[in-house]
Amino acid sequence: RMPMILNAIVPESPVCGKSKPRVLMTFRGTMAFALAHISFLVMLLISYPFQWADLTVVIVMPIVIKLLKKTGQFRFGKYEGMAILYSILVAGFAWKSAEIAIGTMQSADICLAAGAVCFFLSDSLIFLISFWKKRLWPLHGMEISAYYIAMCLIGLSISLR
């Protein structure tokens, strides 16, 4: 549903242009998931106070992306900026939820953290599938499995509150 909403909001982008529908859909899909991660992070930061350690991912993830690019094994092209921003959002969700779970040790928070880590794993596999020069198609099955496990754990965390 979110890509349909984004279709109205972002009919074209400077990254995609008019002539590449697959690239445009990839952009819209990434934006939809980015909005979901922003929502998760806002919810966590409203519920639990900001800690300076929360900025760790803002520093670490761009460095990781830049180091991966220097290996020559990853092809980011014009998506490097989007990869950095999205990695900060996904890692930020995993980081903050793990920080909360370690602090509270409540089952709802542990499920949320486990779901966030599975989401990070799922998106890391998508990252490999999309940008690594080697094509590892068997990762698709692992990626979608990690995604569904993440959604189940995040849903379970809500029901445990």
Side-chain angles (χ1 to χ4, degrees):
R1 291 185 181 135
M2 187 61 84
M4 293 168 76
I5 294 167
L6 283 172
N7 188 27
I9 298 171
V10 187
E12 294 176 22
S13 78
V15 175
C16 305
K18 277 186 176 179
S19 62
K20 299 179 183 171
R22 182 174 176 202
V23 173
L24 184 57
M25 287 308 296
T26 300
F27 177 76
R28 289 181 183 150
T30 303
M31 293 304 297
F33 277 95
L35 288 173
H37 285 293
I38 289 168
S39 298
F40 288 139
L41 284 169
V42 167
M43 181 269 308
L44 291 173
L45 289 169
I46 288 172
S47 302
Y48 298 93
F50 170 79
Q51 305 286 324
W52 285 106
D54 295 341
L55 293 177
T56 302
V57 296
V58 176
I59 297 165
V60 170
M61 294 314 295
I63 293 170
V64 168
I65 300 293
K66 295 289 187 184
L67 289 174
L68 288 174
K69 183 180 177 183
K70 281 190 175 196
T71 67
Q73 294 299 309
F74 292 85
R75 48 184 165 64
F76 295 107
K78 60 187 170 187
Y79 298 109
E80 183 178 347
M82 193 164 58
I84 290 171
L85 177 61
Y86 191 77
S87 69
I88 289 169
L89 294 173
V90 175
F93 177 41
W95 176 275
K96 186 64 177 175
S97 60
E99 173 189 306
I100 293 166
I102 291 167
T104 67
M105 294 306 289
Q106 293 179 4
S107 56
D109 295 332
I110 293 169
C111 280
L112 181 64
V117 169
C118 285
F119 216 132
F120 182 80
L121 172 63
S122 170
D123 284 356
S124 296
L125 292 171
I126 290 173
F127 177 87
L128 289 175
I129 292 165
S130 301
F131 297 116
W132 199 12
K133 286 184 178 178
K134 294 180 184 178
R135 287 296 188 193
L136 298 174
W137 297 113
L139 292 179
H140 282 287
M142 294 186 319
E143 174 272 319
I144 198 70
S145 297
Y147 172 78
Y148 283 119
I149 292 168
M151 291 298 99
C152 288
L153 288 167
I154 291 168
L156 180 60
S157 76
I158 294 167
S159 70
L160 292 172
R161 298 217 179 266

